[in-house]
Amino acid sequence: MFAMVNVVSAAVQVFAAVLRHGPISRVEVTARTGLSPAAVTKAVRPLVDAGYLVERPDDRAPARLGRPAMPLHVVAERAYFLGVKLTADEVIAVRTDLCGVTREAVHRPLTSTAVADVIEVVADVCRGLAVGHDVACLGVSLSGDVLRDTGMVRFSPFLNWRDVPLADLVSAATGLPTLIENDVRALTVAEHWFGAGVGVSSFALVTAGTGIGCGLVVNDVLLPAGELGHVAIDVDGPECYCGGRGCVEALAADRVVLAGCSAVVGRQLTMAEAISLGRSGDPAVHAVFERAGRALGLALAAVANLVGPERIVLTGEAVGGYDLYADQIRQALAAQAFGAAAACELVVRPLPFDEWARGAAVVGIQDLITRSGAARGSTGAVTLPAR
């Protein structure tokens, strides 16, 4: 099904530029990649021949006199990708096209987190999404210590998995080439290529919800980000499940906020109820959100000071109640960010779990484009499926 055609790394750079910024002209590709016009022309030819790119007028551009411009477009239907996001109680799966646009999404509840049971659900969902489509790759994302290179889940706390060869197991069950990635890193890839990270070379994505996570892109390269949730910001603060004290997660994770709100009203609340009480003016509930906001703001300041990103994107379940602690987040960030870090832009971006699943699919798109070291501009060859 996938006969292979070799294209040099220049073609990969060209394709990535058109994918992220297109439709764009060859002149714009030259400016973005630093390649010579001749190199761009040489690189475009095999991509057009293989059906990945097409040159045609841009329907969105205003009409002009003379010969119409013929920018390069990615052929979105050239390949499809599946993305799966695993939580403790649900499988969220999407099918995207080559441009990372979600074409279909499916949510399926989990009744068990046993590895075999989860894989059975994943395989069933993916079979349905793949029917009638040429799927190039399946990406699976989940929280925890995930080794993309080996396909191994070393530890996933919410699924309670240790040392699970997930990529091999899912590939065997679905018949699809499978990649796995940490869910925050996968979402960071999607935002870098198609979302709030487009247009900047360095940005951080911070997720706040069940846990506190962080993805980092520096000079257009995704970097290991460590565990922002377990950075201590109050050494005399509450004990964290990791064994430390005063971790960001112990102060600002959803479960902590919900427990605090429930304690001050004397009954168990849902998060929706807690947010409603905070918005209705309950001072005790509002104070719980404010404490969490200060903790998140200090965490964002730590990222800004350490990495110096142009932009920080804050997302996750917790931003549903962002208005309750927006001032505290921004005040703590402004107070603690030093020097150039104080100019870091903060973007708050609510993203549903479908977008996290899309992130897993985009990991597959990225792998198709950047395999064999082409993303680093090597002179080695990379292979893309031929028609």
Side-chain angles (χ1 to χ4, degrees), residues 8-319:
V8 296
S9 60
V12 175
Q13 294 177 61
V14 168
F15 184 66
V18 179
L19 181 65
R20 293 184 64 197
H21 306 288
I24 56 175
S25 68
R26 296 189 185 211
V27 172
E28 291 175 278
V29 172
T30 297
R32 288 189 177 277
T33 62
L35 297 169
S36 69
V40 170
T41 296
K42 185 176 180 181
V44 164
R45 188 177 303 114
L47 292 170
V48 171
D49 291 344
Y52 285 91
L53 295 182
V54 64
E55 287 184 289
R56 58 177 172 80
D58 184 359
D59 297 334
R60 301 173 301 176
R64 293 177 180 158
L65 295 175
R67 184 178 179 183
M70 299 289 282
L72 292 160
H73 299 246
V74 171
V75 180
E77 297 79 14
R78 176 60 183 81
Y80 291 92
F81 299 80
L82 303 185
V84 171
K85 155 72 172 165
L86 299 179
T87 74
D89 53 16
E90 190 177 27
V91 170
I92 305 99
V94 300
R95 184 182 68 254
T96 77
D97 59 27
L98 185 54
C99 292
V101 175
T102 298
R103 298 297 189 94
E104 186 177 355
V106 176
H107 290 234
R108 187 74 59 83
L110 287 173
T111 58
S112 164
T113 58
V115 174
D117 294 336
V118 172
I119 289 174
E120 182 179 357
V121 174
V122 169
D124 184 59
V125 168
C126 289
R127 278 192 292 269
L129 286 171
V131 170
H133 298 88
D134 194 6
V135 175
C137 183
L138 163 61
V140 180
S141 73
L142 66 163
S143 67
D145 188 359
V146 178
L147 302 180
R148 176 172 164 179
D149 290 346
T150 63
M152 180 72 70
V153 178
R154 287 178 30 177
F155 177 55
S156 183
F158 303 118
L159 290 165
N160 197 27
W161 288 358
R162 291 184 183 275
D163 299 322
V164 176
L166 186 62
D168 287 344
L169 293 173
V170 172
S171 183
T174 61
L176 294 170
T178 301
L179 296 168
I180 66 169
E181 182 58 278
N182 169 270
D183 55 356
V184 175
R185 285 173 59 86
L187 186 61
T188 303
V189 171
E191 289 296 288
H192 179 212
W193 280 45
F194 302 116
V198 173
V200 294
S201 63
S202 298
F203 84 102
L205 180 131
V206 175
T207 60
T210 304
I212 309 295
C214 183
L216 293 175
V217 171
V218 177
N219 295 327
D220 283 321
V221 177
L222 180 69
L223 299 180
E227 291 286 348
L228 179 63
H230 298 287
V231 171
I233 57 173
D234 181 0
V235 294
D236 296 318
E239 186 174 350
C240 181
Y241 70 85
C242 72
R245 280 196 171 275
C247 297
V248 181
E249 243 178 66
L251 293 162
D254 272 0
R255 64 184 180 279
V256 176
V257 173
L258 186 56
C261 291
S262 298
V264 297
V265 301
R267 62 184 177 87
Q268 185 61 48
L269 300 172
T270 65
M271 184 56 77
E273 289 171 333
I275 291 173
S276 179
L277 284 172
R279 287 174 177 162
S280 68
D282 186 304
V285 169
H286 205 279
V288 174
F289 281 97
E290 289 176 346
R291 285 195 295 273
R294 282 191 290 272
L296 278 176
L298 292 174
L300 299 182
V303 172
N305 287 330
L306 185 63
V307 182
E310 298 170 64
R311 181 177 298 156
I312 295 178
V313 179
L314 177 63
T315 189
E317 306 98 300
V319 303

